[in-house]
Amino acid sequence: MTEQQSAFTLTYADNGIAWLKIDVPNEKMNTLQAQFGEQVSKVLEELKSKNDLKGMVVYSGKPDNFVAGADIRMLAACTTAEEAASLAEQGQKLFAELENLPFHTVAAIHGPCLGGGLELALACHSRVCSDDDKTRLGLPEVQLGLLPGSGGTQRLPRLIGVAGALDMILTGKQLRAKKAKKVGVVDEVVPQSILLDIAEKQALKPKPKRQLSLQDRAMGGNALGRSLVFEQAAKKTHEKTRGNYPAADAILDVIKYGLQNGMTKGLAREAKLFGDLVMTSESAALRSIFFATTAMKKESGSDAKPRSIGHVGVLGGGLMGGGISHVTASKAGYPVRIKDINNDGILNALSYNYKLLDKKRKRRIISKAALQKQMLSIAGGIDYTAFDRMDVIIEAVFEDLGLKHQMVKEIEANTKPETIFATNTSSLPIHQIAEAAERPENVVGLHFFSPVEKMPLVEVIPHDGTSDETVATVVALAKKQGKTPIVVGDKAGFYVNRILAPYMNEAAQVLLAGEPIEHLDTALLDFGFPVGPITLLDEVGVDIGAKIMPVLVGELGDRFQGPDVFDKLLNDGRKGRKTGKGFYLYDSKKKAVDKSVYKLLGLNPEKKTDAEAIAIRCTLMMLNEAARCLDEGVVRSARDGDIGAIFGIGFPPFLGGPFRYMDQLGIKQVVELLIDHADKYGERFKPCQALVDMAEAGQSYYSS
Ligand SMILES: C[C@H](O)CC(=O)SCCNC(=O)CCNC(=O)[C@H](O)C(C)(C)COP(=O)(O)OP(=O)(O)OC[C@H]1O[C@@H](n2cnc3c(N)ncnc32)[C@H](O)[C@@H]1OP(=O)(O)O
């Protein structure tokens, strides 16, 4: 290999400093690949042979990233646990040699420094990072169903203490520069312009001695303190994972083992468990989410080019309008003008924005000046002033077709001919909204989920007459807002609500069969959903469910007919959390079921069915409907269907989404389960034709 093709280049300065540049050829992102082992070994051999070096700076040749970790494609290609473990061992060995160099090694970090990238930096004696917003440090392996396999589970606790390391490794959180300095992951934070100079200055200083952090001394440095920290972390982790994520248990195990038995044994265990985890179905599913979202970042939703956007208008200053204006102004960086029918709506949206920004300011993510600047980019009023400048309007008014028609007309009258009208409807067909338009090619659905600033998914819904350019423009806008957009068909419920509704209806059936509410919710939580269905109904609002159901029944048929409980609940004033009255009590601190709801529904709750059976019963309804959606073209691919369900509903990520889960079960088995449930509970479980055909042909949704 020629010098130019090498990912690692060494140069020497007259002042005794060596410079090790990492620059993977032909890639915009540095990742660590097995094939670099030889190159790094050579570099290390050369460095060991030098006896006149004072120090070394390790830096990236890329403009905006340090190292994003081991190459995930390489891990996914492993066919045995031994193969994966040996990759980890190789990294461990090289990093140990780096750590043992006799002179001061300093990592100069700008941009993402994640996974194996941070493990490399941890093997250096000091770390300096830029204060740039792109700089993020973390060990996100757990999000891929893995543990840090190149020394991270051993070096991080020894550097920042057990509690801090457990927090970082178990959550996979990525720290910004200031926070990384605060917890002790880096030694210095400096502007990017002087990063290399400061790193060089550091490297000229003598190699520092490793010290136990204060936190470690206080909490994890003795056996008793340590076991307490582990106990708490295990409890907290289990509450979240419910035993569905083997990586979390493995992380706890390896860190504890390493602290009890020393670094060498700890590293051996780290590599072994890393190899085992790479082969788990959970890791394969989580890796597939990474590959899917990375691919989706490049897609434009249509063959056309997106139009450029200068200004965005938002109609309606309610909860959704507030959230949409926030992601449009603060995340995408466009000036926003909100229009509402009264000033309270505008004030509401502005105060929503202020609260979100102030939270960031309090956490020192943004400065006061940045907060003020961002607030100034959002304006509002009760008329269409300045709307002639708008390129896209996002409508978030009440779900009423007449009102939406009025909005379309007013917008067409007050904006440019090419202005896009994107409606955030969750239930009304886009083609019906577009009926009022003179320029239906500019009308498109843009369905956000609540709370907008947190939920990662957006459904983009073209109707038959929407232009490709409109689709590409709103897809680009959604990406700038930090969302993952999926383009879905203009049918009732679109994709996410359509697959959610039968699942929720089935949960209601289970409830009416007399299963206790906590039992039902816990069953689905244990299965891996982030909230139970009854809690979700309380959160979303019983009234919202009652409004969407007839639309689905009308357009898609009787299988969407839920049990007849909405009227009883609504007549009793039980709209859910927002009215303080639903299935749960909202005036006590501890979550508890409002038992009077059983009386209202004429139920005598009693646990009769085991949790697993309840979970599969509700989930099967979702799987069957997802299969129908793909068959009807409501989603364009199994991949989009999986990402939509995971990001829109919280479908258990470790199962990889409904389609990957069906593959895992085997389509034949899914069909058999559906038939079995149809026998027990009714026709609504009848497997859709697409699944039956696939089962007969022995097909699956994915090839791997
Ligand atoms: C032994 C070790 O402990 C094991 C590990 O290190 S496992 C890996 C741990 N690291 C990670 O999980 C980080 C994964 N990467 C990311 O989260 C994000 O890419 C990022 C935050 C670094 C950057 O995000 P963003 O700027 O939006 O860029 P993004 O589009 O995602 O990535 C750019 C390119 O880098 C690639 N990339 C980023 N990290 C990668 C990785 N770890 N492996 C392989 N490819 C990676 C992407 O696939 C994409 O490639 P493409 O352009 O050819 O499709």
Side-chain angles (χ1 to χ4, degrees):
M1 204 169 264
T2 66
E3 186 70 7
Q4 255 201 338
Q5 281 172 316
S6 176
F8 295 82
T9 343
L10 254 187
T11 48
Y12 300 98
D14 292 343
N15 61 357
I17 293 297
W19 291 84
L20 177 57
K21 180 166 83 173
I22 308 173
D23 194 351
V24 179
N26 308 319
E27 303 268 359
K28 60 180 183 202
M29 185 78 71
N30 280 331
T31 59
L32 302 174
Q33 299 166 25
Q35 74 211 45
F36 301 153
E38 219 175 288
Q39 294 174 21
V40 180
S41 285
K42 257 198 204 155
V43 163
L44 288 163
E45 281 315 308
E46 186 178 321
L47 286 166
K48 276 189 254 173
S49 72
K50 301 266 173 193
N51 47 23
D52 54 349
L53 286 178
K54 291 192 181 126
M56 177 169 75
V57 176
V58 182
Y59 70 108
S60 166
K62 305 291 181 202
D64 58 5
N65 62 83
F66 182 71
V67 177
D71 183 342
I72 301 169
R73 291 164 300 188
M74 165 187 82
L75 301 176
C78 288
T79 52
T80 63
E82 291 71 32
E83 191 189 341
S86 83
L87 287 175
E89 278 160 9
Q90 185 190 3
Q92 289 179 350
K93 184 175 159 287
L94 295 172
F95 292 170
E97 285 180 35
L98 176 66
E99 188 173 42
N100 290 333
L101 286 173
F103 45 81
H104 191 178
T105 55
V106 180
I109 302 160
H110 168 68
C113 170
L114 302 171
L118 181 55
E119 292 178 295
L120 186 156
L122 289 172
C124 293
H125 305 126
S126 308
R127 284 149 298 280
V128 183
C129 77
S130 78
D131 59 5
D132 195 277
D133 194 43
K134 287 197 196 86
T135 298
R136 299 290 158 100
L137 299 100
L139 294 171
E141 286 87 343
V142 70
Q143 290 161 0
L144 298 164
L146 302 173
L147 53 72
S150 292
T153 65
Q154 305 303 305
R155 287 197 180 88
L156 193 63
R158 287 170 172 83
L159 179 70
I160 67 166
V162 181
L166 280 172
D167 180 41
M168 272 184 78
I169 301 175
L170 283 169
T171 60
K173 64 170 65 153
Q174 299 179 12
L175 309 182
R176 288 179 163 84
K178 270 189 199 157
K179 182 81 191 205
K181 167 93 169 47
K182 196 170 168 206
V183 299
V185 175
V186 297
D187 306 282
E188 251 183 288
V189 177
V190 299
Q192 193 204 343
S193 55
I194 55 168
L195 176 68
L196 294 182
D197 295 340
I198 299 295
E200 182 184 34
K201 266 194 195 140
Q202 278 269 9
L204 282 164
K205 290 181 192 163
K207 183 172 144 177
K209 286 203 180 81
R210 283 245 149 123
Q211 280 181 349
L212 259 185
S213 72
L214 266 181
Q215 197 178 11
D216 203 25
R217 243 174 278 156
M219 298 183 71
N222 63 71
L224 186 66
R226 218 161 40 215
S227 78
L228 211 86
V229 174
F230 275 100
E231 240 171 65
Q232 280 169 354
K235 190 166 164 258
K236 211 166 131 193
T237 303
H238 200 261
E239 271 166 23
K240 265 205 233 153
T241 65
R242 297 180 174 251
N244 288 321
Y245 292 83
D249 294 330
I251 287 165
L252 286 161
D253 172 330
V254 162
I255 297 181
K256 195 169 181 181
Y257 185 85
L259 291 174
Q260 279 168 349
N261 298 284
M263 183 99 171
T264 309
K265 285 189 174 163
L267 285 172
R269 190 155 182 83
E270 181 190 81
K272 160 85 177 69
L273 294 192
F274 179 83
D276 292 347
L277 288 172
V278 170
M279 303 317 291
T280 58
S281 63
E282 289 84 354
S283 177
L286 293 165
R287 290 189 310 252
S288 77
I289 300 174
F290 171 75
F291 295 132
T293 47
T294 307
M296 289 162 97
K297 284 181 199 167
K298 293 199 194 95
E299 294 171 8
S300 60
S302 78
D303 293 335
K305 276 203 164 148
R307 246 184 262 148
S308 71
I309 298 176
H311 296 83
V312 176
V314 174
L315 298 182
L319 193 64
M320 293 307 279
I324 292 168
S325 60
H326 179 72
V327 294
T328 310
S330 302
K331 194 95 190 161
Y334 295 123
V336 173
R337 187 163 178 95
I338 307 165
K339 146 92 172 70
D340 199 290
I341 44 170
N342 58 49
N343 282 319
D344 284 351
I346 307 295
L347 279 176
N348 178 57
L350 290 176
S351 85
Y352 191 90
N353 272 280
Y354 182 80
K355 274 185 201 147
L356 290 174
L357 290 170
D358 200 42
K359 223 190 237 175
K360 282 195 195 162
R361 184 194 60 80
K362 281 188 182 135
R363 290 173 57 205
R364 294 171 185 247
I365 296 170
I366 56 168
S367 63
K368 198 172 171 190
L371 179 150
Q372 282 165 346
K373 193 169 162 229
Q374 293 192 17
M375 281 309 292
L376 283 175
S377 69
I378 308 173
I382 51 172
D383 58 24
Y384 286 108
T385 304
F387 266 57
D388 53 353
R389 263 191 266 149
M390 303 296 152
D391 300 294
V392 179
I393 307 296
I394 306 174
E395 166 279 303
V397 302
F398 291 117
E399 289 286 82
D400 177 282
L401 189 60
L403 182 60
K404 306 271 184 194
H405 281 168
Q406 185 192 333
M407 293 299 106
V408 170
K409 286 185 183 139
E410 287 183 14
I411 288 303
E412 286 194 335
N414 286 285
T415 59
K416 300 178 283 191
E418 63 274 19
T419 301
I420 290 172
F421 183 92
T423 164
N424 176 50
T425 179
S426 59
S427 62
L428 297 168
I430 309 305
H431 63 271
Q432 284 181 20
I433 295 176
E435 274 165 11
E438 274 179 35
R439 299 186 285 271
E441 65 277 14
N442 294 345
V443 177
V444 68
L446 190 60
H447 181 209
F448 292 85
F449 295 80
S450 181
V452 176
E453 63 283 359
K454 283 208 182 119
M455 294 294 284
L457 189 77
V458 162
E459 289 180 310
V460 172
I461 314 120
H463 66 95
D464 279 348
T466 306
S467 73
D468 280 356
E469 203 181 24
T470 299
V471 173
T473 308
V474 292
V475 164
L477 170 61
K479 283 199 248 178
K480 281 201 139 192
Q481 289 166 328
K483 305 294 168 200
T484 299
I486 54 169
V487 179
V488 300
D490 184 21
K491 284 202 175 176
F494 314 130
Y495 173 65
V496 170
N497 283 340
R498 174 160 163 188
I499 65 165
L500 181 63
Y503 159 91
M504 297 289 278
N505 279 346
E506 205 51 38
Q509 297 281 10
V510 175
L511 171 68
L512 290 193
E515 295 295 340
I517 290 170
E518 300 97 326
H519 180 47
L520 174 49
D521 268 354
T522 307
L524 274 310
L525 281 171
D526 285 349
F527 184 77
F529 282 95
V531 286
I534 305 297
T535 304
L536 184 62
L537 191 54
D538 258 3
E539 294 291 335
V540 173
V542 175
D543 54 330
I544 303 288
K547 213 169 174 185
I548 292 181
M549 199 167 71
V551 180
L552 294 171
V553 175
E555 279 209 40
L556 300 167
D558 281 347
R559 66 177 187 281
F560 282 89
Q561 186 63 60
D564 195 13
V565 290
F566 285 138
D567 280 349
K568 270 190 203 160
L569 293 165
L570 293 176
N571 289 339
D572 194 44
R574 286 180 201 265
K575 283 191 187 170
R577 180 193 273 280
K578 61 187 168 196
T579 52
K581 200 174 173 195
F583 292 94
Y584 285 92
L585 292 170
Y586 291 101
D587 48 7
S588 67
K589 271 204 176 141
K590 212 166 162 258
K591 191 171 180 188
V593 167
D594 179 355
K595 294 213 162 63
S596 64
V597 77
Y598 291 124
K599 198 165 166 233
L600 177 74
L601 300 176
L603 297 171
N604 232 338
E606 190 196 339
K607 245 192 222 179
K608 285 170 288 196
T609 317
D610 72 54
E612 237 175 276
I614 292 178
I616 195 72
R617 176 174 165 186
C618 298
T619 307
L620 274 173
M621 288 298 284
M622 187 182 275
L623 299 181
N624 203 14
E625 204 53 41
R628 274 198 189 89
C629 284
L630 180 59
D631 189 43
E632 292 173 20
V634 169
V635 278
R636 291 177 169 180
S637 62
R639 183 205 68 182
D640 283 7
D642 280 339
I643 294 300
I646 294 169
F647 287 3
I649 296 171
F651 190 94
F654 69 94
L655 296 176
F659 294 96
R660 232 168 240 286
Y661 180 46
M662 284 193 271
D663 273 2
Q664 216 184 92
L665 291 171
I667 306 297
K668 196 161 164 270
Q669 161 86 349
V670 174
V671 168
E672 279 166 13
L673 281 168
L674 283 165
I675 293 173
D676 180 51
H677 280 69
D679 289 345
K680 273 197 221 151
Y681 304 113
E683 274 292 283
R684 61 185 183 278
F685 278 95
K686 195 174 161 227
C688 67
Q689 196 54 44
L691 280 176
V692 174
D693 293 345
M694 283 179 75
E696 269 172 21
Q699 289 171 335
S700 57
Y701 285 106
Y702 291 92
S703 51
S704 63

